[in-house]
Structure formats: C-alpha cells, structure tokens
C-alpha cells in the first residue's frame, strides 16, 4: 500500500543494470523508467517486483523518446505526438504492472528535458499529462517542481500534486537546478545531500525529495536522506 507521509523520498530508478535492491526498500516512491530514455521489459518487471516486495509505491517516469541522449535533449514535438509517446511509455509499464499482480502505479514524474520543458510551457505539460492520464487514470499524483506550468496544469486537470525538491542536485541562487553539464551539479556526498534534504524539509516548500538512482553514491545518499526523513 502506498504511504502518504510527508515528505516522501522518491527515487528515479529502472535506468541502469545492477541497481541495489535496497534503493527500492528505502524509497517511498520509485519512478520507473518506461522506455523513453531508458528501461525495457526486463528492467520494468524487476522494478515493479521489487516495489511489490518492499511495499513501495511505483510511478511512471516517461520522457522525450530520446534513448541516445538519456532524455536530456529537448525535442520539438506536436502536442498529439507528445501525448502519444507519453501514453505509450506509461501503457508499457501498466501492462507489466498488471502481470505482476499487486503493483500500484500511483504517481507520474516527467524525466529530464521533458520535466523542465513542461514546467516552462503549459502546452507541453498539458500534452504530457493527457498521455499519462490515458494510461494511468485520473487518480495519479504528479511529482514536479514547486511552482510553474507543471503544477498549474496538474491543478487545471484536477490531478493531485506533490512538490519536489532534490537532495542530490545543486541549486542556483534563484532556486533553479545547476545544469548537469556544469561542475558541481550533482551532490555526491551523503552528508551534503542530507543537509540539503533537511533544509528542504524545514522550508516546508516540498512534499517529496528526490534521490537519483543513477547518481554516484546513490545508495549511501538514499540511506542518509531516508534516515533524516524518518527522524523528522
């Protein structure tokens, strides 16, 4: 059963081979790559099975159809084409979830360039969420930035929303993320990531905190952040 404590620890996963099982035990929510930037049937099946094993909520993590760029390249797509690709990715995960029995897909979080594009452009957000709803239904919770088009369109559509902060990403003075291509964009030290997570909790500005499963020291960071969240 999905937990609704706040803040939730969400982990982006299903992206790399050899992910530690413990990541799934530590997370409240796992955002599962479903074919756009990473992920295939085997990885999706494993991720959903581990969510079932540990009682962790599962969510879809669709992206631009950009496996070569790992979903980090902005693509120009018509609204219908974007809706179609997001729906296709989410349907793939839904199909496997049904075969796994108890897997509950309760969340959706856009990945990479699509995450940022949607937050800057309401038309992109609307098209992406149309695809997500087509596959996942109206009871999903959208994970996204604390402010911007993603949140506004989720509200317009009547979707539940969880404001997200990042434990393992550096931020600029204006609160935006330091782009991954710049030095220091990723926080690889568990102590620093925990300090950031505690600051986010204290701010009251987020409902969920992300740790990237493909990041350096992801497991150590997830352990430290989950411990800090459990301590309150």
């Amino acid at each position: 059963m999905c937990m609704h404590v706040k803040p939730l620890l969400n982990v982006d996963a299903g992206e790399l081979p050899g992910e530690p099982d413990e990541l799934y035990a530590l997370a409240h929510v796992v955002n599962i790559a479903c074919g756009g930037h990473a992920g295939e049937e085997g990885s999706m099946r494993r991720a959903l099975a581990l969510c079932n094993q540990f009682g962790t909520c599962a969510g879809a993590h669709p992206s631009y159809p950009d496996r070569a760029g790992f979903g980090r390249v902005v693509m120009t797509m018509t609204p219908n084409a974007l809706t179609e690709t997001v729906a296709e990715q989410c349907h793939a995960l839904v199909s496997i979830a049904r075969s796994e029995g108890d897997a509950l897909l309760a969340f959706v979080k856009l990945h990479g360039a699509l995450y940022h594009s949607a937050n800057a452009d309401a038309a992109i957000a609307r098209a992406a969420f149309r695809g997500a709803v087509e596959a996942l239904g109206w009871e999903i919770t959208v994970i996204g930035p604390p402010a911007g088009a993603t949140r506004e369109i989720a509200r317009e559509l009547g979707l539940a929303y969880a404001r997200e902060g990042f434990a393992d990403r550096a931020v600029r003075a204006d609160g935006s993320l330091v782009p991954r291509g710049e030095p220091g964009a990723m926080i690889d030290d568990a102590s620093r990531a925990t300090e950031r997570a505690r600051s986010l909790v204290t701010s009251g500005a987020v409902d969920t905190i992300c740790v990237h499963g493909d990041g350096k020291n992801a497991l150590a960071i997830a352990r430290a952040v989950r411990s800090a969240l459990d301590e309150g």
Side-chain angles (χ1 to χ4, degrees):
M1 178 178 294
C2 286
M3 300 176 65
H4 293 286
V5 296
K6 290 186 180 181
L8 300 167
L9 171 61
N10 81 82
V11 174
D12 297 345
E15 297 173 332
L16 297 175
E19 288 173 341
D21 292 5
E22 190 182 348
L23 275 177
Y24 292 79
L26 291 166
H28 296 108
V29 181
V30 172
N31 311 302
I32 301 171
C34 42
H37 67 288
E40 38 74 37
E41 181 179 352
S43 64
M44 287 187 269
R45 193 171 297 280
R46 176 179 183 270
L48 288 164
L50 287 169
C51 286
N52 280 339
Q53 178 181 337
F54 294 114
T56 304
C57 295
H61 199 31
S63 72
Y64 283 124
D66 169 38
R67 294 182 75 88
F70 204 72
R72 292 175 182 154
V73 177
V74 174
M75 300 180 69
T76 300
M77 304 182 70
T78 67
N80 285 343
L82 181 56
T83 295
E84 183 177 345
T85 190
V86 169
E88 181 180 359
Q89 292 172 54
C90 294
H91 272 304
L93 191 61
V94 168
S95 177
I96 296 169
R98 286 173 178 161
S99 72
E100 288 294 329
D102 294 330
L104 174 63
L105 294 172
F107 293 83
V108 65
K109 174 183 168 183
L110 304 178
H111 167 82
L114 183 55
Y115 182 97
H116 298 293
S117 294
N119 203 47
D121 189 323
I124 294 174
R126 192 175 292 108
F129 293 147
R130 280 206 312 265
V133 167
E134 178 183 319
L136 302 169
W138 291 98
E139 299 305 314
I140 54 172
T141 295
V142 175
I143 295 175
T150 300
R151 184 180 184 186
E152 294 308 312
I153 297 305
R155 285 177 166 177
E156 175 188 296
L157 296 173
L159 299 171
Y161 195 82
R163 302 164 299 163
E164 180 180 43
F166 295 87
D168 56 2
R169 291 292 303 274
V171 296
R172 292 169 165 163
D174 64 0
S176 64
L177 296 177
V178 175
R180 277 182 178 261
E182 295 185 13
M186 295 296 296
I187 296 173
D188 298 324
D189 178 76
S191 297
R192 282 187 61 210
T194 303
E195 288 175 10
R196 171 137 181 81
R198 287 185 172 133
S199 176
L200 287 165
V201 171
T202 301
S203 75
V206 302
D207 306 302
T208 182
I209 295 174
C210 175
V211 170
H212 291 87
D214 65 338
K216 184 179 179 181
N217 299 327
L219 183 56
I221 289 172
R223 284 174 181 156
V225 171
R226 176 61 190 262
S227 178
L229 296 180
D230 287 346
E231 290 169 4

mmCIF file with all atom_site columns, all heavy atoms in Angstrom, residues 126-149:
data_model
loop_
_atom_site.group_PDB
_atom_site.id
_atom_site.type_symbol
_atom_site.label_atom_id
_atom_site.label_alt_id
_atom_site.label_comp_id
_atom_site.label_asym_id
_atom_site.label_entity_id
_atom_site.label_seq_id
_atom_site.pdbx_PDB_ins_code
_atom_site.Cartn_x
_atom_site.Cartn_y
_atom_site.Cartn_z
_atom_site.occupancy
_atom_site.B_iso_or_equiv
_atom_site.pdbx_formal_charge
_atom_site.auth_seq_id
_atom_site.auth_comp_id
_atom_site.auth_asym_id
_atom_site.auth_atom_id
_atom_site.pdbx_PDB_model_num
ATOM 1   N N   . ARG A 1 126 ? 0.392  20.055 -20.580 1.00 0.00 ? 126 ARG A N   1
ATOM 2   C CA  . ARG A 1 126 ? -0.960 19.535 -20.844 1.00 0.00 ? 126 ARG A CA  1
ATOM 3   C C   . ARG A 1 126 ? -0.913 18.303 -21.736 1.00 0.00 ? 126 ARG A C   1
ATOM 4   O O   . ARG A 1 126 ? -1.582 17.293 -21.482 1.00 0.00 ? 126 ARG A O   1
ATOM 5   C CB  . ARG A 1 126 ? -1.823 20.628 -21.461 1.00 0.00 ? 126 ARG A CB  1
ATOM 6   C CG  . ARG A 1 126 ? -3.297 20.293 -21.515 1.00 0.00 ? 126 ARG A CG  1
ATOM 7   C CD  . ARG A 1 126 ? -4.120 21.459 -22.030 1.00 0.00 ? 126 ARG A CD  1
ATOM 8   N NE  . ARG A 1 126 ? -4.136 22.580 -21.090 1.00 0.00 ? 126 ARG A NE  1
ATOM 9   C CZ  . ARG A 1 126 ? -3.497 23.739 -21.277 1.00 0.00 ? 126 ARG A CZ  1
ATOM 10  N NH1 . ARG A 1 126 ? -2.789 23.942 -22.389 1.00 0.00 ? 126 ARG A NH1 1
ATOM 11  N NH2 . ARG A 1 126 ? -3.562 24.692 -20.369 1.00 0.00 ? 126 ARG A NH2 1
ATOM 12  N N   . ALA A 1 127 ? -0.084 18.360 -22.784 1.00 0.00 ? 127 ALA A N   1
ATOM 13  C CA  . ALA A 1 127 ? 0.022  17.226 -23.700 1.00 0.00 ? 127 ALA A CA  1
ATOM 14  C C   . ALA A 1 127 ? 0.604  16.003 -22.993 1.00 0.00 ? 127 ALA A C   1
ATOM 15  O O   . ALA A 1 127 ? 0.129  14.874 -23.179 1.00 0.00 ? 127 ALA A O   1
ATOM 16  C CB  . ALA A 1 127 ? 0.887  17.602 -24.902 1.00 0.00 ? 127 ALA A CB  1
ATOM 17  N N   . ALA A 1 128 ? 1.617  16.222 -22.164 1.00 0.00 ? 128 ALA A N   1
ATOM 18  C CA  . ALA A 1 128 ? 2.237  15.104 -21.448 1.00 0.00 ? 128 ALA A CA  1
ATOM 19  C C   . ALA A 1 128 ? 1.260  14.467 -20.472 1.00 0.00 ? 128 ALA A C   1
ATOM 20  O O   . ALA A 1 128 ? 1.151  13.236 -20.387 1.00 0.00 ? 128 ALA A O   1
ATOM 21  C CB  . ALA A 1 128 ? 3.487  15.587 -20.728 1.00 0.00 ? 128 ALA A CB  1
ATOM 22  N N   . PHE A 1 129 ? 0.529  15.290 -19.741 1.00 0.00 ? 129 PHE A N   1
ATOM 23  C CA  . PHE A 1 129 ? -0.388 14.738 -18.754 1.00 0.00 ? 129 PHE A CA  1
ATOM 24  C C   . PHE A 1 129 ? -1.604 14.069 -19.384 1.00 0.00 ? 129 PHE A C   1
ATOM 25  O O   . PHE A 1 129 ? -2.172 13.137 -18.809 1.00 0.00 ? 129 PHE A O   1
ATOM 26  C CB  . PHE A 1 129 ? -0.805 15.814 -17.744 1.00 0.00 ? 129 PHE A CB  1
ATOM 27  C CG  . PHE A 1 129 ? 0.333  16.276 -16.882 1.00 0.00 ? 129 PHE A CG  1
ATOM 28  C CD1 . PHE A 1 129 ? 0.413  17.587 -16.436 1.00 0.00 ? 129 PHE A CD1 1
ATOM 29  C CD2 . PHE A 1 129 ? 1.354  15.411 -16.530 1.00 0.00 ? 129 PHE A CD2 1
ATOM 30  C CE1 . PHE A 1 129 ? 1.473  18.011 -15.659 1.00 0.00 ? 129 PHE A CE1 1
ATOM 31  C CE2 . PHE A 1 129 ? 2.417  15.822 -15.757 1.00 0.00 ? 129 PHE A CE2 1
ATOM 32  C CZ  . PHE A 1 129 ? 2.481  17.130 -15.321 1.00 0.00 ? 129 PHE A CZ  1
ATOM 33  N N   . ARG A 1 130 ? -1.995 14.525 -20.573 1.00 0.00 ? 130 ARG A N   1
ATOM 34  C CA  . ARG A 1 130 ? -3.056 13.817 -21.288 1.00 0.00 ? 130 ARG A CA  1
ATOM 35  C C   . ARG A 1 130 ? -2.633 12.373 -21.563 1.00 0.00 ? 130 ARG A C   1
ATOM 36  O O   . ARG A 1 130 ? -3.416 11.435 -21.413 1.00 0.00 ? 130 ARG A O   1
ATOM 37  C CB  . ARG A 1 130 ? -3.381 14.515 -22.610 1.00 0.00 ? 130 ARG A CB  1
ATOM 38  C CG  . ARG A 1 130 ? -4.269 15.733 -22.493 1.00 0.00 ? 130 ARG A CG  1
ATOM 39  C CD  . ARG A 1 130 ? -5.056 16.003 -23.788 1.00 0.00 ? 130 ARG A CD  1
ATOM 40  N NE  . ARG A 1 130 ? -4.208 15.949 -24.980 1.00 0.00 ? 130 ARG A NE  1
ATOM 41  C CZ  . ARG A 1 130 ? -3.642 17.007 -25.558 1.00 0.00 ? 130 ARG A CZ  1
ATOM 42  N NH1 . ARG A 1 130 ? -3.815 18.216 -25.036 1.00 0.00 ? 130 ARG A NH1 1
ATOM 43  N NH2 . ARG A 1 130 ? -2.903 16.872 -26.633 1.00 0.00 ? 130 ARG A NH2 1
ATOM 44  N N   . GLY A 1 131 ? -1.379 12.200 -21.956 1.00 0.00 ? 131 GLY A N   1
ATOM 45  C CA  . GLY A 1 131 ? -0.879 10.860 -22.207 1.00 0.00 ? 131 GLY A CA  1
ATOM 46  C C   . GLY A 1 131 ? -0.784 10.032 -20.942 1.00 0.00 ? 131 GLY A C   1
ATOM 47  O O   . GLY A 1 131 ? -1.119 8.840  -20.935 1.00 0.00 ? 131 GLY A O   1
ATOM 48  N N   . ALA A 1 132 ? -0.337 10.656 -19.856 1.00 0.00 ? 132 ALA A N   1
ATOM 49  C CA  . ALA A 1 132 ? -0.229 9.931  -18.590 1.00 0.00 ? 132 ALA A CA  1
ATOM 50  C C   . ALA A 1 132 ? -1.588 9.472  -18.094 1.00 0.00 ? 132 ALA A C   1
ATOM 51  O O   . ALA A 1 132 ? -1.761 8.327  -17.659 1.00 0.00 ? 132 ALA A O   1
ATOM 52  C CB  . ALA A 1 132 ? 0.457  10.807 -17.549 1.00 0.00 ? 132 ALA A CB  1
ATOM 53  N N   . VAL A 1 133 ? -2.572 10.364 -18.161 1.00 0.00 ? 133 VAL A N   1
ATOM 54  C CA  . VAL A 1 133 ? -3.916 10.027 -17.691 1.00 0.00 ? 133 VAL A CA  1
ATOM 55  C C   . VAL A 1 133 ? -4.540 8.931  -18.555 1.00 0.00 ? 133 VAL A C   1
ATOM 56  O O   . VAL A 1 133 ? -5.235 8.045  -18.055 1.00 0.00 ? 133 VAL A O   1
ATOM 57  C CB  . VAL A 1 133 ? -4.801 11.288 -17.663 1.00 0.00 ? 133 VAL A CB  1
ATOM 58  C CG1 . VAL A 1 133 ? -6.273 10.920 -17.500 1.00 0.00 ? 133 VAL A CG1 1
ATOM 59  C CG2 . VAL A 1 133 ? -4.359 12.215 -16.542 1.00 0.00 ? 133 VAL A CG2 1
ATOM 60  N N   . GLU A 1 134 ? -4.282 8.990  -19.852 1.00 0.00 ? 134 GLU A N   1
ATOM 61  C CA  . GLU A 1 134 ? -4.824 7.964  -20.747 1.00 0.00 ? 134 GLU A CA  1
ATOM 62  C C   . GLU A 1 134 ? -4.405 6.566  -20.291 1.00 0.00 ? 134 GLU A C   1
ATOM 63  O O   . GLU A 1 134 ? -5.201 5.620  -20.332 1.00 0.00 ? 134 GLU A O   1
ATOM 64  C CB  . GLU A 1 134 ? -4.330 8.211  -22.172 1.00 0.00 ? 134 GLU A CB  1
ATOM 65  C CG  . GLU A 1 134 ? -4.791 7.161  -23.188 1.00 0.00 ? 134 GLU A CG  1
ATOM 66  C CD  . GLU A 1 134 ? -4.218 7.404  -24.554 1.00 0.00 ? 134 GLU A CD  1
ATOM 67  O OE1 . GLU A 1 134 ? -4.157 8.577  -24.988 1.00 0.00 ? 134 GLU A OE1 1
ATOM 68  O OE2 . GLU A 1 134 ? -3.820 6.414  -25.214 1.00 0.00 ? 134 GLU A OE2 1
ATOM 69  N N   . ALA A 1 135 ? -3.167 6.443  -19.841 1.00 0.00 ? 135 ALA A N   1
ATOM 70  C CA  . ALA A 1 135 ? -2.650 5.137  -19.443 1.00 0.00 ? 135 ALA A CA  1
ATOM 71  C C   . ALA A 1 135 ? -2.861 4.811  -17.969 1.00 0.00 ? 135 ALA A C   1
ATOM 72  O O   . ALA A 1 135 ? -3.137 3.667  -17.609 1.00 0.00 ? 135 ALA A O   1
ATOM 73  C CB  . ALA A 1 135 ? -1.159 5.066  -19.768 1.00 0.00 ? 135 ALA A CB  1
ATOM 74  N N   . LEU A 1 136 ? -2.733 5.824  -17.115 1.00 0.00 ? 136 LEU A N   1
ATOM 75  C CA  . LEU A 1 136 ? -2.697 5.589  -15.671 1.00 0.00 ? 136 LEU A CA  1
ATOM 76  C C   . LEU A 1 136 ? -3.985 5.956  -14.948 1.00 0.00 ? 136 LEU A C   1
ATOM 77  O O   . LEU A 1 136 ? -4.169 5.573  -13.793 1.00 0.00 ? 136 LEU A O   1
ATOM 78  C CB  . LEU A 1 136 ? -1.541 6.384  -15.055 1.00 0.00 ? 136 LEU A CB  1
ATOM 79  C CG  . LEU A 1 136 ? -0.141 6.086  -15.609 1.00 0.00 ? 136 LEU A CG  1
ATOM 80  C CD1 . LEU A 1 136 ? 0.857  7.115  -15.117 1.00 0.00 ? 136 LEU A CD1 1
ATOM 81  C CD2 . LEU A 1 136 ? 0.294  4.684  -15.233 1.00 0.00 ? 136 LEU A CD2 1
ATOM 82  N N   . GLY A 1 137 ? -4.853 6.726  -15.596 1.00 0.00 ? 137 GLY A N   1
ATOM 83  C CA  . GLY A 1 137 ? -6.096 7.137  -14.949 1.00 0.00 ? 137 GLY A CA  1
ATOM 84  C C   . GLY A 1 137 ? -5.942 8.445  -14.207 1.00 0.00 ? 137 GLY A C   1
ATOM 85  O O   . GLY A 1 137 ? -4.861 9.042  -14.139 1.00 0.00 ? 137 GLY A O   1
ATOM 86  N N   . TRP A 1 138 ? -7.049 8.883  -13.631 1.00 0.00 ? 138 TRP A N   1
ATOM 87  C CA  . TRP A 1 138 ? -7.124 10.208 -13.004 1.00 0.00 ? 138 TRP A CA  1
ATOM 88  C C   . TRP A 1 138 ? -6.692 10.225 -11.543 1.00 0.00 ? 138 TRP A C   1
ATOM 89  O O   . TRP A 1 138 ? -6.597 11.295 -10.937 1.00 0.00 ? 138 TRP A O   1
ATOM 90  C CB  . TRP A 1 138 ? -8.552 10.752 -13.107 1.00 0.00 ? 138 TRP A CB  1
ATOM 91  C CG  . TRP A 1 138 ? -8.938 11.098 -14.514 1.00 0.00 ? 138 TRP A CG  1
ATOM 92  C CD1 . TRP A 1 138 ? -9.651 10.329 -15.386 1.00 0.00 ? 138 TRP A CD1 1
ATOM 93  C CD2 . TRP A 1 138 ? -8.606 12.294 -15.218 1.00 0.00 ? 138 TRP A CD2 1
ATOM 94  N NE1 . TRP A 1 138 ? -9.782 10.965 -16.594 1.00 0.00 ? 138 TRP A NE1 1
ATOM 95  C CE2 . TRP A 1 138 ? -9.156 12.179 -16.521 1.00 0.00 ? 138 TRP A CE2 1
ATOM 96  C CE3 . TRP A 1 138 ? -7.892 13.455 -14.889 1.00 0.00 ? 138 TRP A CE3 1
ATOM 97  C CZ2 . TRP A 1 138 ? -9.016 13.181 -17.488 1.00 0.00 ? 138 TRP A CZ2 1
ATOM 98  C CZ3 . TRP A 1 138 ? -7.761 14.450 -15.853 1.00 0.00 ? 138 TRP A CZ3 1
ATOM 99  C CH2 . TRP A 1 138 ? -8.311 14.316 -17.124 1.00 0.00 ? 138 TRP A CH2 1
ATOM 100 N N   . GLU A 1 139 ? -6.430 9.064  -10.954 1.00 0.00 ? 139 GLU A N   1
ATOM 101 C CA  . GLU A 1 139 ? -6.106 9.024  -9.525  1.00 0.00 ? 139 GLU A CA  1
ATOM 102 C C   . GLU A 1 139 ? -4.620 9.181  -9.245  1.00 0.00 ? 139 GLU A C   1
ATOM 103 O O   . GLU A 1 139 ? -4.198 9.104  -8.097  1.00 0.00 ? 139 GLU A O   1
ATOM 104 C CB  . GLU A 1 139 ? -6.596 7.690  -8.931  1.00 0.00 ? 139 GLU A CB  1
ATOM 105 C CG  . GLU A 1 139 ? -8.101 7.476  -9.050  1.00 0.00 ? 139 GLU A CG  1
ATOM 106 C CD  . GLU A 1 139 ? -8.899 8.619  -8.438  1.00 0.00 ? 139 GLU A CD  1
ATOM 107 O OE1 . GLU A 1 139 ? -8.557 9.038  -7.307  1.00 0.00 ? 139 GLU A OE1 1
ATOM 108 O OE2 . GLU A 1 139 ? -9.843 9.101  -9.090  1.00 0.00 ? 139 GLU A OE2 1
ATOM 109 N N   . ILE A 1 140 ? -3.832 9.411  -10.283 1.00 0.00 ? 140 ILE A N   1
ATOM 110 C CA  . ILE A 1 140 ? -2.388 9.547  -10.085 1.00 0.00 ? 140 ILE A CA  1
ATOM 111 C C   . ILE A 1 140 ? -2.038 10.872 -9.400  1.00 0.00 ? 140 ILE A C   1
ATOM 112 O O   . ILE A 1 140 ? -2.784 11.842 -9.474  1.00 0.00 ? 140 ILE A O   1
ATOM 113 C CB  . ILE A 1 140 ? -1.626 9.460  -11.424 1.00 0.00 ? 140 ILE A CB  1
ATOM 114 C CG1 . ILE A 1 140 ? -2.172 10.461 -12.436 1.00 0.00 ? 140 ILE A CG1 1
ATOM 115 C CG2 . ILE A 1 140 ? -1.632 8.045  -11.951 1.00 0.00 ? 140 ILE A CG2 1
ATOM 116 C CD1 . ILE A 1 140 ? -1.349 10.568 -13.701 1.00 0.00 ? 140 ILE A CD1 1
ATOM 117 N N   . THR A 1 141 ? -0.882 10.852 -8.753  1.00 0.00 ? 141 THR A N   1
ATOM 118 C CA  . THR A 1 141 ? -0.294 12.071 -8.212  1.00 0.00 ? 141 THR A CA  1
ATOM 119 C C   . THR A 1 141 ? 0.892  12.457 -9.089  1.00 0.00 ? 141 THR A C   1
ATOM 120 O O   . THR A 1 141 ? 1.763  11.632 -9.363  1.00 0.00 ? 141 THR A O   1
ATOM 121 C CB  . THR A 1 141 ? 0.189  11.860 -6.766  1.00 0.00 ? 141 THR A CB  1
ATOM 122 O OG1 . THR A 1 141 ? -0.946 11.594 -5.933  1.00 0.00 ? 141 THR A OG1 1
ATOM 123 C CG2 . THR A 1 141 ? 0.921  13.098 -6.246  1.00 0.00 ? 141 THR A CG2 1
ATOM 124 N N   . VAL A 1 142 ? 0.909  13.697 -9.533  1.00 0.00 ? 142 VAL A N   1
ATOM 125 C CA  . VAL A 1 142 ? 2.018  14.218 -10.328 1.00 0.00 ? 142 VAL A CA  1
ATOM 126 C C   . VAL A 1 142 ? 3.117  14.702 -9.389  1.00 0.00 ? 142 VAL A C   1
ATOM 127 O O   . VAL A 1 142 ? 2.851  15.429 -8.425  1.00 0.00 ? 142 VAL A O   1
ATOM 128 C CB  . VAL A 1 142 ? 1.556  15.381 -11.222 1.00 0.00 ? 142 VAL A CB  1
ATOM 129 C CG1 . VAL A 1 142 ? 2.740  16.006 -11.957 1.00 0.00 ? 142 VAL A CG1 1
ATOM 130 C CG2 . VAL A 1 142 ? 0.492  14.913 -12.214 1.00 0.00 ? 142 VAL A CG2 1
ATOM 131 N N   . ILE A 1 143 ? 4.346  14.301 -9.655  1.00 0.00 ? 143 ILE A N   1
ATOM 132 C CA  . ILE A 1 143 ? 5.515  14.827 -8.943  1.00 0.00 ? 143 ILE A CA  1
ATOM 133 C C   . ILE A 1 143 ? 6.184  15.840 -9.854  1.00 0.00 ? 143 ILE A C   1
ATOM 134 O O   . ILE A 1 143 ? 6.478  15.541 -11.023 1.00 0.00 ? 143 ILE A O   1
ATOM 135 C CB  . ILE A 1 143 ? 6.501  13.701 -8.579  1.00 0.00 ? 143 ILE A CB  1
ATOM 136 C CG1 . ILE A 1 143 ? 5.859  12.726 -7.579  1.00 0.00 ? 143 ILE A CG1 1
ATOM 137 C CG2 . ILE A 1 143 ? 7.795  14.276 -8.008  1.00 0.00 ? 143 ILE A CG2 1
ATOM 138 C CD1 . ILE A 1 143 ? 6.721  11.517 -7.251  1.00 0.00 ? 143 ILE A CD1 1
ATOM 139 N N   . GLY A 1 144 ? 6.432  17.038 -9.337  1.00 0.00 ? 144 GLY A N   1
ATOM 140 C CA  . GLY A 1 144 ? 7.040  18.064 -10.178 1.00 0.00 ? 144 GLY A CA  1
ATOM 141 C C   . GLY A 1 144 ? 7.535  19.239 -9.362  1.00 0.00 ? 144 GLY A C   1
ATOM 142 O O   . GLY A 1 144 ? 7.469  19.240 -8.120  1.00 0.00 ? 144 GLY A O   1
ATOM 143 N N   . PRO A 1 145 ? 8.025  20.263 -10.030 1.00 0.00 ? 145 PRO A N   1
ATOM 144 C CA  . PRO A 1 145 ? 8.592  21.433 -9.340  1.00 0.00 ? 145 PRO A CA  1
ATOM 145 C C   . PRO A 1 145 ? 7.568  22.137 -8.455  1.00 0.00 ? 145 PRO A C   1
ATOM 146 O O   . PRO A 1 145 ? 6.354  22.072 -8.700  1.00 0.00 ? 145 PRO A O   1
ATOM 147 C CB  . PRO A 1 145 ? 9.037  22.336 -10.492 1.00 0.00 ? 145 PRO A CB  1
ATOM 148 C CG  . PRO A 1 145 ? 9.217  21.423 -11.652 1.00 0.00 ? 145 PRO A CG  1
ATOM 149 C CD  . PRO A 1 145 ? 8.167  20.372 -11.496 1.00 0.00 ? 145 PRO A CD  1
ATOM 150 N N   . PRO A 1 146 ? 8.032  22.847 -7.427  1.00 0.00 ? 146 PRO A N   1
ATOM 151 C CA  . PRO A 1 146 ? 7.111  23.540 -6.523  1.00 0.00 ? 146 PRO A CA  1
ATOM 152 C C   . PRO A 1 146 ? 6.243  24.588 -7.196  1.00 0.00 ? 146 PRO A C   1
ATOM 153 O O   . PRO A 1 146 ? 5.133  24.871 -6.729  1.00 0.00 ? 146 PRO A O   1
ATOM 154 C CB  . PRO A 1 146 ? 8.048  24.177 -5.494  1.00 0.00 ? 146 PRO A CB  1
ATOM 155 C CG  . PRO A 1 146 ? 9.257  23.310 -5.496  1.00 0.00 ? 146 PRO A CG  1
ATOM 156 C CD  . PRO A 1 146 ? 9.423  22.888 -6.928  1.00 0.00 ? 146 PRO A CD  1
ATOM 157 N N   . ALA A 1 147 ? 6.718  25.184 -8.281  1.00 0.00 ? 147 ALA A N   1
ATOM 158 C CA  . ALA A 1 147 ? 5.949  26.216 -8.975  1.00 0.00 ? 147 ALA A CA  1
ATOM 159 C C   . ALA A 1 147 ? 6.234  26.121 -10.464 1.00 0.00 ? 147 ALA A C   1
ATOM 160 O O   . ALA A 1 147 ? 7.270  25.612 -10.876 1.00 0.00 ? 147 ALA A O   1
ATOM 161 C CB  . ALA A 1 147 ? 6.311  27.602 -8.458  1.00 0.00 ? 147 ALA A CB  1
ATOM 162 N N   . GLY A 1 148 ? 5.275  26.587 -11.260 1.00 0.00 ? 148 GLY A N   1
ATOM 163 C CA  . GLY A 1 148 ? 5.459  26.585 -12.700 1.00 0.00 ? 148 GLY A CA  1
ATOM 164 C C   . GLY A 1 148 ? 4.296  25.927 -13.412 1.00 0.00 ? 148 GLY A C   1
ATOM 165 O O   . GLY A 1 148 ? 3.272  25.571 -12.804 1.00 0.00 ? 148 GLY A O   1
ATOM 166 N N   . ALA A 1 149 ? 4.437  25.739 -14.707 1.00 0.00 ? 149 ALA A N   1
ATOM 167 C CA  . ALA A 1 149 ? 3.344  25.227 -15.533 1.00 0.00 ? 149 ALA A CA  1
ATOM 168 C C   . ALA A 1 149 ? 2.951  23.805 -15.166 1.00 0.00 ? 149 ALA A C   1
ATOM 169 O O   . ALA A 1 149 ? 1.774  23.438 -15.266 1.00 0.00 ? 149 ALA A O   1
ATOM 170 C CB  . ALA A 1 149 ? 3.733  25.298 -17.011 1.00 0.00 ? 149 ALA A CB  1
#
